[in-house]
Amino acid sequence: MVSNESASYSKRLLHLVSWSHWFTFFNIIAAIVLSSAYIVIEGMPDTTLGTTYLITNWLSHIAFLIFGSFVLLIFPLILVYPKTRVIRGVASLVFTVVLMLLALDAFIYSRLGYHINASASSQILDVIAAQIEIRPREFWFTTIVLAIVILVFQLLVSNYAWRHLRQLQKTVFARFIVAGLVVSFFFSHILHIWADANLEYDILRQDTVLPLSYPATAKTLLTKYDLFNKEDYLERKNAPLSLVGTIPAYSIDSAQCHASEAIDHSTFIVLSKKIFEQSQIERLLDRSALQSLMLKRHIDTSDSAQAWFNLLYSLPNIYQDDVLAQNAKPVLLDAIANQQLVSTFTLVGDENKAALPTWLIDAFDVFRNEPDISGLVLEDEFKKVKPGLHIVFFDQQDDYQLTLFLDALMLAQQNKAIKDNVYVSTLGNELTQTELIEKPSLLAFNSDNFQKVRTLTSHMDIAPTLMKNWLNCGLATTRYSVGQDIFTLKENRVIANTNEQGILVFNKDKSVFIDQSGNFNSYSRQQQAPITLKEDFPLMIDGVNYIKRFAVANTIEQPKK
């Protein structure tokens, strides 16, 4: 009797194992069809070798993932609890979830450029939430229908494989398919080893296409996203980052920005090359006559010359040479001029205007160079100021005169019926060690559209904020900027910029510098020294997408010739 039970158990177990192999085989075919979305998103390589690698790697890698799911999730259950109905039901549900995750991952990859992972969970959830908010019916309809279709497919395949197991075991076509997948697996891996040794870019650029695939290098990704020259990459050179291809024209008709009523108040931007302490900003908050907020997580990664470009053009450093070569005026200053407002720039300090970029001086209606603030803090001086944008830059080693000027400015606002906007911040970095640290700033605004800001901000957000909330301009920010209106920011945000050595990326948890060798570094305020971090490619890709936002948006909008 024991022998009969053992034989029955072995027979049932072998039958289930055989069925599970065929069930997995059909799911491999389904997964390959579903994963073709990655190929559509990525596009075909330029070379025959790259195309051969893409096809063999795609087919074998997806097959490996599905077979791995079977080995890890289904096969142990068969050995432990070989009940036919339970195994078939659980296997159908498991592979439904696996294929749904594959579809979701393809969607995330199309939106963010990377796959589902824990380190970028907040960005992934934001993408899903935005899709639900924009198209709730389409999202839920697609999700539910896809889940039902996959589940029905699982039940049909499960039933078919179980009922026709003997016929399937006699077929030979599956052996050729499996043999082809195994050969493709080894061929693609050997080809990748060769490509890694010979720096075959058309193959290496595919490292991030499929989920759970090869880890890419930072330089390969930067080259793939057109931030590093391909020829320099192939020759293993280090070179400054630059946008590959034509930079979109920085030419926007700001004449469409017309306020319904004449603007009767000014915006003061007070800047210093010294970093403000949080206590200084808190003191200004107490003295402000307007709704004010401290931008605790304010970012400024550039040196002084490039920081002016970030502030006024609202673009990362990588655009500077090309945009300035177009001789285009910053959209903010152009919109100010179109609304008959003035723009003034006052330099306070011993340095003369030769220390400032020429384009900066030429962009303003009035330029003043004052050795001190004696001519600026008189009460009549503030009364005589015409509505417009007034930038005051303190290029001094101490902050004594800066403090006096800010006190006078805040006091003058208390005596005015119509208050002015005030933005106080640090500008530029004299030391590379300060590029990755947050710099507290102040924004006092004469607007009803006011709310607390707890997320990252930067100089590149100032122009969009002023355009919308001061100049009442509805021009889409992506037409001229990578920044956003500060009062509409979401918490889970990434900010990035470039310098000659690499790319700097910030999110809510960390600040990272990625050099051209692919090293991820941060700066420890406790240790007062750089520290090396684990590679975080999703964060880097988020940073690249932020930097390229202006180029991508305006390239798409330009009509085809």
Side-chain angles (χ1 to χ4, degrees), residues 336-349:
I336 288 171
N338 285 332
Q339 299 206 32
Q340 308 301 313
L341 302 172
V342 300
S343 59
T344 69
F345 187 104
T346 303
L347 172 63
V348 180

Side-chain angles (χ1 to χ4, degrees), residues 268-286 288 291-301 307 311 402 406 410 422-429 434 437-445 450-462 486-487 495 525:
F268 284 90
I269 296 180
V270 183
L271 303 165
S272 172
K273 65 181 184 181
K274 292 196 65 177
I275 299 176
F276 283 91
E277 298 291 339
Q278 185 167 320
S279 58
Q280 292 176 288
I281 301 299
E282 291 173 345
R283 180 172 176 273
L284 292 174
L285 281 172
D286 295 337
S288 176
Q291 297 186 82
S292 304
L293 56 87
M294 181 192 300
L295 306 177
K296 291 184 178 180
R297 310 201 62 190
H298 199 65
I299 305 300
D300 176 19
T301 64
L311 175 66
L402 170 64
L406 288 172
M410 293 303 185
V422 178
Y423 170 60
V424 181
S425 184
T426 304
L427 186 121
N429 293 273
T434 64
I437 68 173
E438 296 165 357
K439 304 170 178 67
S441 302
L442 171 80
L443 182 63
F445 222 84
F450 196 92
Q451 58 183 333
K452 291 184 178 180
V453 177
R454 297 181 177 88
T455 188
L456 295 170
T457 56
S458 79
H459 289 322
M460 291 179 279
D461 297 318
I462 299 304
I486 285 177
F487 301 121
I495 290 178
R525 274 181 271 187

